Amino acid sequence: MAELRVIVAGAGGRMGGANIRAVAAAQGLALVGAIDRPGAASIGKDAGTLAGLEPLGVTVTDDIVPLLDSADAIIDFTAPARSEERFSRNAE
């Protein structure tokens, strides 16, 4: 069975880090993307390092669009208004 490829939204926050750690530890899941809000200090950092793990080779970005084709699922642990804004803007 193929791994479920996951993007974590809100990667720079406390819960984003917990989600990154959970995905990294789970058998059958692969972290393929990590996003945060524009201007966040987490942008450009390795998601694993940010979450207190060894580097995972996934750089935190503020642009989800290039990641969408490589993912099967998104774990979005951001504020509802922020999620709605991000995804409606990218749908246009």
Side-chain angles (χ1 to χ4, degrees), residues 13 15 23 28 30 33 42 48 54 57 62 73 79 82 89 92:
M15 292 309 298
V23 170
S42 60
E54 295 294 319
D62 63 0
R82 183 70 183 131
R89 179 185 67 211
E92 296 173 353

Side-chain angles (χ1 to χ4, degrees), residues 1-5 27-30 72:
M1 183 171 158
E3 290 185 314
L4 184 70
R5 301 166 302 169
Q27 189 172 18
L29 299 181
D72 301 310

Side-chain angles (χ1 to χ4, degrees), residues 28-43:
L29 299 181
L31 185 70
V32 297
I35 60 172
D36 210 345
R37 69 187 186 290
S42 60
I43 302 300

Side-chain angles (χ1 to χ4, degrees), residues 13-14 16 18 20 24 26-27 29-30 37 54-55 61-62 77-78 80 83-84 87:
R14 181 175 47 88
I20 290 167
Q27 189 172 18
L29 299 181
R37 69 187 186 290
E54 295 294 319
T61 181
D62 63 0
F77 223 93
T78 62
S83 297
E84 183 178 311
F87 293 113

Side-chain angles (χ1 to χ4, degrees), residues 23-82:
V23 170
Q27 189 172 18
L29 299 181
L31 185 70
V32 297
I35 60 172
D36 210 345
R37 69 187 186 290
S42 60
I43 302 300
K45 296 182 179 175
D46 184 276
T49 303
L50 195 62
L53 303 171
E54 295 294 319
L56 296 174
V58 174
T59 302
V60 179
T61 181
D62 63 0
D63 187 5
I64 194 170
V65 174
L67 304 175
L68 292 175
D69 286 340
S70 66
D72 301 310
I74 300 169
I75 299 173
D76 185 353
F77 223 93
T78 62
R82 183 70 183 131

